[in-house]
Short mmCIF file of all heavy atoms in Angstrom, two decimals:
data_model
loop_
_atom_site.label_atom_id
_atom_site.label_comp_id
_atom_site.label_asym_id
_atom_site.label_seq_id
_atom_site.Cartn_x
_atom_site.Cartn_y
_atom_site.Cartn_z
N ILE A 92 -194.98 -36.22 185.84
CA ILE A 92 -194.35 -36.67 184.60
C ILE A 92 -192.83 -36.64 184.74
O ILE A 92 -192.13 -37.55 184.30
CB ILE A 92 -194.82 -35.82 183.40
CG1 ILE A 92 -196.28 -36.12 183.11
CG2 ILE A 92 -193.97 -36.08 182.17
CD1 ILE A 92 -196.93 -35.21 182.09
N GLY A 93 -192.30 -35.62 185.40
CA GLY A 93 -190.86 -35.53 185.63
C GLY A 93 -190.34 -36.69 186.46
O GLY A 93 -189.29 -37.28 186.16
N GLU A 94 -191.08 -37.05 187.51
CA GLU A 94 -190.68 -38.19 188.34
C GLU A 94 -190.72 -39.50 187.55
O GLU A 94 -189.83 -40.34 187.68
CB GLU A 94 -191.58 -38.28 189.57
CG GLU A 94 -191.35 -37.17 190.57
CD GLU A 94 -192.36 -37.16 191.70
OE1 GLU A 94 -193.19 -38.10 191.80
OE2 GLU A 94 -192.33 -36.21 192.49
N ALA A 95 -191.73 -39.65 186.71
CA ALA A 95 -191.83 -40.85 185.87
C ALA A 95 -190.66 -40.91 184.90
O ALA A 95 -190.09 -41.98 184.67
CB ALA A 95 -193.16 -40.87 185.13
N MET A 96 -190.27 -39.77 184.35
CA MET A 96 -189.13 -39.73 183.42
C MET A 96 -187.84 -40.15 184.11
O MET A 96 -187.03 -40.87 183.53
CB MET A 96 -188.98 -38.33 182.82
CG MET A 96 -190.09 -37.93 181.88
SD MET A 96 -190.10 -38.87 180.36
CE MET A 96 -188.60 -38.33 179.62
N LYS A 97 -187.64 -39.70 185.35
CA LYS A 97 -186.44 -40.10 186.10
C LYS A 97 -186.40 -41.61 186.30
O LYS A 97 -185.35 -42.24 186.16
CB LYS A 97 -186.40 -39.40 187.46
CG LYS A 97 -186.09 -37.93 187.38
CD LYS A 97 -186.13 -37.32 188.77
CE LYS A 97 -186.10 -35.82 188.71
NZ LYS A 97 -186.27 -35.21 190.03
N ARG A 98 -187.56 -42.20 186.63
CA ARG A 98 -187.61 -43.66 186.82
C ARG A 98 -187.37 -44.39 185.50
O ARG A 98 -186.71 -45.43 185.47
CB ARG A 98 -188.95 -44.07 187.44
CG ARG A 98 -189.03 -43.71 188.92
CD ARG A 98 -190.17 -44.39 189.65
NE ARG A 98 -191.47 -44.20 189.05
CZ ARG A 98 -192.24 -43.14 189.24
NH1 ARG A 98 -191.84 -42.15 189.98
NH2 ARG A 98 -193.43 -43.07 188.66
N ILE A 99 -187.86 -43.83 184.40
CA ILE A 99 -187.63 -44.45 183.08
C ILE A 99 -186.14 -44.43 182.75
O ILE A 99 -185.59 -45.43 182.28
CB ILE A 99 -188.45 -43.72 182.00
CG1 ILE A 99 -189.93 -44.02 182.17
CG2 ILE A 99 -187.98 -44.10 180.60
CD1 ILE A 99 -190.85 -43.13 181.35
N GLU A 100 -185.48 -43.31 183.00
CA GLU A 100 -184.05 -43.23 182.74
C GLU A 100 -183.27 -44.23 183.58
O GLU A 100 -182.38 -44.92 183.08
CB GLU A 100 -183.54 -41.81 183.01
CG GLU A 100 -184.04 -40.79 182.00
CD GLU A 100 -183.74 -39.36 182.42
OE1 GLU A 100 -183.23 -39.14 183.54
OE2 GLU A 100 -184.05 -38.46 181.62
N ALA A 101 -183.61 -44.32 184.86
CA ALA A 101 -182.93 -45.28 185.74
C ALA A 101 -183.19 -46.71 185.28
O ALA A 101 -182.31 -47.56 185.33
CB ALA A 101 -183.40 -45.09 187.18
N HIS A 102 -184.40 -46.96 184.79
CA HIS A 102 -184.78 -48.29 184.29
C HIS A 102 -183.97 -48.66 183.05
O HIS A 102 -183.57 -49.81 182.88
CB HIS A 102 -186.27 -48.29 183.96
CG HIS A 102 -186.99 -49.48 184.46
ND1 HIS A 102 -187.16 -49.73 185.79
CD2 HIS A 102 -187.58 -50.49 183.79
CE1 HIS A 102 -187.84 -50.85 185.93
NE2 HIS A 102 -188.10 -51.34 184.73
N THR A 103 -183.72 -47.68 182.19
CA THR A 103 -182.95 -47.92 180.98
C THR A 103 -181.54 -48.39 181.34
O THR A 103 -181.03 -49.36 180.77
CB THR A 103 -182.90 -46.65 180.12
OG1 THR A 103 -184.23 -46.27 179.81
CG2 THR A 103 -182.11 -46.87 178.85
N VAL A 104 -180.92 -47.72 182.29
CA VAL A 104 -179.58 -48.11 182.74
C VAL A 104 -179.65 -49.49 183.40
O VAL A 104 -178.80 -50.36 183.15
CB VAL A 104 -178.99 -47.07 183.72
CG1 VAL A 104 -177.70 -47.57 184.35
CG2 VAL A 104 -178.76 -45.75 183.01
N LEU A 105 -180.67 -49.68 184.21
CA LEU A 105 -180.83 -50.96 184.91
C LEU A 105 -180.88 -52.12 183.93
O LEU A 105 -180.18 -53.11 184.09
CB LEU A 105 -182.13 -50.92 185.73
CG LEU A 105 -182.53 -52.19 186.44
CD1 LEU A 105 -181.85 -52.26 187.79
CD2 LEU A 105 -184.04 -52.23 186.61
N LEU A 106 -181.68 -51.99 182.88
CA LEU A 106 -181.84 -53.09 181.93
C LEU A 106 -180.64 -53.25 181.01
O LEU A 106 -180.31 -54.36 180.59
CB LEU A 106 -183.11 -52.88 181.11
CG LEU A 106 -184.41 -52.95 181.89
CD1 LEU A 106 -185.58 -52.59 180.99
CD2 LEU A 106 -184.61 -54.32 182.50
N GLY A 107 -179.99 -52.15 180.69
CA GLY A 107 -178.91 -52.20 179.71
C GLY A 107 -177.54 -52.55 180.26
O GLY A 107 -176.72 -53.10 179.54
N ARG A 108 -177.28 -52.25 181.52
CA ARG A 108 -175.91 -52.37 182.01
C ARG A 108 -175.73 -53.18 183.29
O ARG A 108 -174.60 -53.42 183.68
CB ARG A 108 -175.32 -50.98 182.25
CG ARG A 108 -175.19 -50.18 180.99
CD ARG A 108 -174.10 -50.76 180.15
NE ARG A 108 -174.05 -50.07 178.87
CZ ARG A 108 -173.52 -50.58 177.79
NH1 ARG A 108 -173.02 -51.77 177.81
NH2 ARG A 108 -173.51 -49.90 176.68
N LYS A 109 -176.78 -53.58 183.94
CA LYS A 109 -176.63 -54.27 185.22
C LYS A 109 -176.88 -55.76 185.09
O LYS A 109 -177.66 -56.21 184.26
CB LYS A 109 -177.59 -53.66 186.25
CG LYS A 109 -177.22 -52.24 186.61
CD LYS A 109 -178.06 -51.71 187.73
CE LYS A 109 -177.63 -50.29 188.08
NZ LYS A 109 -178.40 -49.75 189.18
N THR A 110 -176.20 -56.51 185.96
CA THR A 110 -176.40 -57.96 186.01
C THR A 110 -177.72 -58.25 186.72
O THR A 110 -178.30 -57.35 187.35
CB THR A 110 -175.25 -58.62 186.78
OG1 THR A 110 -175.30 -58.15 188.15
CG2 THR A 110 -173.89 -58.33 186.17
N ALA A 111 -178.17 -59.48 186.66
CA ALA A 111 -179.44 -59.85 187.32
C ALA A 111 -179.41 -59.54 188.82
O ALA A 111 -180.37 -58.94 189.33
CB ALA A 111 -179.75 -61.32 187.07
N PRO A 112 -178.36 -59.90 189.58
CA PRO A 112 -178.35 -59.54 191.01
C PRO A 112 -178.36 -58.02 191.24
O PRO A 112 -179.01 -57.53 192.16
CB PRO A 112 -177.04 -60.15 191.53
CG PRO A 112 -176.74 -61.26 190.58
CD PRO A 112 -177.25 -60.79 189.25
N GLU A 113 -177.68 -57.26 190.35
CA GLU A 113 -177.70 -55.81 190.48
C GLU A 113 -179.09 -55.24 190.19
O GLU A 113 -179.52 -54.27 190.82
CB GLU A 113 -176.68 -55.18 189.52
CG GLU A 113 -175.24 -55.41 189.91
CD GLU A 113 -174.26 -54.95 188.86
OE1 GLU A 113 -174.56 -55.06 187.65
OE2 GLU A 113 -173.17 -54.47 189.24
N ARG A 114 -179.82 -55.85 189.27
CA ARG A 114 -181.19 -55.41 188.97
C ARG A 114 -182.11 -55.62 190.17
O ARG A 114 -182.90 -54.75 190.52
CB ARG A 114 -181.74 -56.17 187.77
CG ARG A 114 -181.09 -55.81 186.47
CD ARG A 114 -181.68 -56.63 185.34
NE ARG A 114 -180.81 -56.54 184.18
CZ ARG A 114 -180.84 -57.39 183.18
NH1 ARG A 114 -181.69 -58.39 183.16
NH2 ARG A 114 -180.02 -57.24 182.17
N VAL A 115 -181.99 -56.79 190.80
CA VAL A 115 -182.82 -57.08 191.98
C VAL A 115 -182.48 -56.11 193.09
O VAL A 115 -183.37 -55.53 193.73
CB VAL A 115 -182.63 -58.55 192.43
CG1 VAL A 115 -183.32 -58.79 193.77
CG2 VAL A 115 -183.16 -59.50 191.37
N ALA A 116 -181.18 -55.89 193.34
CA ALA A 116 -180.77 -54.95 194.39
C ALA A 116 -181.28 -53.55 194.10
O ALA A 116 -181.78 -52.86 195.00
CB ALA A 116 -179.24 -54.95 194.51
N SER A 117 -181.20 -53.11 192.85
CA SER A 117 -181.69 -51.78 192.48
C SER A 117 -183.19 -51.65 192.70
O SER A 117 -183.66 -50.62 193.19
CB SER A 117 -181.36 -51.48 191.01
OG SER A 117 -179.97 -51.37 190.83
N ALA A 118 -183.93 -52.68 192.35
CA ALA A 118 -185.39 -52.65 192.55
C ALA A 118 -185.74 -52.56 194.03
O ALA A 118 -186.61 -51.79 194.43
CB ALA A 118 -186.03 -53.89 191.92
N ILE A 119 -185.04 -53.33 194.86
CA ILE A 119 -185.29 -53.30 196.30
C ILE A 119 -184.95 -51.93 196.87
O ILE A 119 -185.71 -51.37 197.67
CB ILE A 119 -184.51 -54.42 197.01
CG1 ILE A 119 -185.10 -55.78 196.62
CG2 ILE A 119 -184.54 -54.24 198.53
CD1 ILE A 119 -184.26 -56.96 197.04
N LEU A 120 -183.82 -51.36 196.48
CA LEU A 120 -183.44 -50.03 196.97
C LEU A 120 -184.44 -48.97 196.53
O LEU A 120 -184.81 -48.10 197.31
CB LEU A 120 -182.03 -49.68 196.48
CG LEU A 120 -180.90 -50.44 197.16
CD1 LEU A 120 -179.57 -50.14 196.45
CD2 LEU A 120 -180.81 -50.07 198.63
N ASP A 121 -184.89 -49.04 195.27
CA ASP A 121 -185.87 -48.09 194.77
C ASP A 121 -187.16 -48.15 195.57
O ASP A 121 -187.69 -47.12 196.00
CB ASP A 121 -186.14 -48.33 193.29
CG ASP A 121 -187.23 -47.42 192.75
OD1 ASP A 121 -187.04 -46.18 192.81
OD2 ASP A 121 -188.26 -47.93 192.27
N LEU A 122 -187.67 -49.35 195.78
CA LEU A 122 -188.91 -49.51 196.54
C LEU A 122 -188.74 -49.03 197.98
O LEU A 122 -189.62 -48.37 198.53
CB LEU A 122 -189.38 -50.96 196.51
CG LEU A 122 -189.93 -51.46 195.18
CD1 LEU A 122 -190.16 -52.96 195.23
CD2 LEU A 122 -191.20 -50.73 194.82
N SER A 123 -187.60 -49.35 198.59
CA SER A 123 -187.39 -48.94 199.99
C SER A 123 -187.30 -47.43 200.11
O SER A 123 -187.78 -46.84 201.07
CB SER A 123 -186.16 -49.62 200.59
OG SER A 123 -184.98 -49.12 200.00
N GLU A 124 -186.68 -46.77 199.13
CA GLU A 124 -186.59 -45.31 199.16
C GLU A 124 -187.95 -44.66 198.94
O GLU A 124 -188.31 -43.70 199.60
CB GLU A 124 -185.62 -44.82 198.08
CG GLU A 124 -184.17 -45.10 198.40
CD GLU A 124 -183.25 -44.77 197.24
OE1 GLU A 124 -183.68 -44.10 196.27
OE2 GLU A 124 -182.09 -45.21 197.29
N ARG A 125 -188.73 -45.19 198.01
CA ARG A 125 -190.01 -44.56 197.67
C ARG A 125 -191.11 -44.86 198.68
O ARG A 125 -192.04 -44.09 198.81
CB ARG A 125 -190.47 -44.99 196.27
CG ARG A 125 -189.57 -44.40 195.19
CD ARG A 125 -190.18 -44.45 193.82
NE ARG A 125 -190.43 -45.80 193.36
CZ ARG A 125 -191.47 -46.13 192.61
NH1 ARG A 125 -192.35 -45.23 192.26
NH2 ARG A 125 -191.63 -47.36 192.20
N PHE A 126 -191.03 -45.99 199.38
CA PHE A 126 -192.14 -46.40 200.24
C PHE A 126 -191.77 -46.56 201.70
O PHE A 126 -192.50 -47.18 202.45
CB PHE A 126 -192.74 -47.71 199.72
CG PHE A 126 -193.29 -47.58 198.33
CD1 PHE A 126 -192.69 -48.23 197.27
CD2 PHE A 126 -194.38 -46.78 198.08
CE1 PHE A 126 -193.18 -48.10 195.98
CE2 PHE A 126 -194.88 -46.65 196.80
CZ PHE A 126 -194.29 -47.30 195.75
N SER A 127 -190.65 -46.01 202.13
CA SER A 127 -190.27 -46.15 203.54
C SER A 127 -191.17 -45.29 204.41
O SER A 127 -191.61 -44.21 203.99
CB SER A 127 -188.81 -45.76 203.73
OG SER A 127 -188.66 -44.36 203.62
N PRO A 128 -191.46 -45.74 205.64
CA PRO A 128 -192.29 -44.95 206.56
C PRO A 128 -191.69 -43.58 206.87
O PRO A 128 -192.40 -42.66 207.21
CB PRO A 128 -192.35 -45.81 207.82
CG PRO A 128 -192.10 -47.20 207.33
CD PRO A 128 -191.16 -47.05 206.17
N ALA A 129 -190.39 -43.42 206.69
CA ALA A 129 -189.75 -42.13 206.95
C ALA A 129 -190.24 -41.04 206.00
O ALA A 129 -190.07 -39.86 206.27
CB ALA A 129 -188.23 -42.28 206.82
N ARG A 130 -190.86 -41.42 204.89
CA ARG A 130 -191.36 -40.44 203.92
C ARG A 130 -192.74 -39.91 204.30
O ARG A 130 -193.41 -39.30 203.50
CB ARG A 130 -191.40 -41.05 202.53
CG ARG A 130 -190.00 -41.38 202.05
CD ARG A 130 -189.98 -41.57 200.60
NE ARG A 130 -190.53 -40.37 199.96
CZ ARG A 130 -190.55 -40.18 198.66
NH1 ARG A 130 -190.06 -41.08 197.87
NH2 ARG A 130 -191.07 -39.11 198.14
N GLY A 131 -193.20 -40.21 205.52
CA GLY A 131 -194.47 -39.67 205.98
C GLY A 131 -195.65 -40.58 205.74
O GLY A 131 -196.78 -40.23 206.01
N GLN A 132 -195.41 -41.76 205.26
CA GLN A 132 -196.49 -42.70 204.99
C GLN A 132 -196.91 -43.33 206.32
O GLN A 132 -196.08 -43.73 207.11
CB GLN A 132 -195.98 -43.76 204.02
CG GLN A 132 -197.02 -44.69 203.54
CD GLN A 132 -196.44 -45.61 202.48
OE1 GLN A 132 -195.45 -45.29 201.85
NE2 GLN A 132 -197.03 -46.75 202.32
N ARG A 133 -198.21 -43.45 206.55
CA ARG A 133 -198.69 -44.01 207.81
C ARG A 133 -198.43 -45.49 207.94
O ARG A 133 -198.06 -45.97 208.99
CB ARG A 133 -200.18 -43.73 207.96
CG ARG A 133 -200.45 -42.29 208.28
CD ARG A 133 -201.86 -42.13 208.69
NE ARG A 133 -202.69 -42.19 207.50
CZ ARG A 133 -203.74 -41.43 207.30
NH1 ARG A 133 -204.11 -40.58 208.20
NH2 ARG A 133 -204.44 -41.53 206.20
#
Side-chain angles (χ1 to χ4, degrees):
I92 291 171
E94 290 173 7
M96 291 292 293
K97 288 178 192 175
R98 286 194 306 277
I99 289 168
E100 290 170 355
H102 226 66
T103 302
V104 172
L105 175 86
L106 294 175
R108 296 289 175 202
K109 293 186 179 181
T110 64
E113 289 172 325
R114 291 179 195 161
V115 171
S117 293
I119 291 169
L120 288 172
D121 176 60
L122 288 172
S123 69
E124 287 172 14
R125 291 196 297 145
F126 299 112
S127 73
R130 294 198 56 175
Q132 187 175 337
R133 287 192 283 219

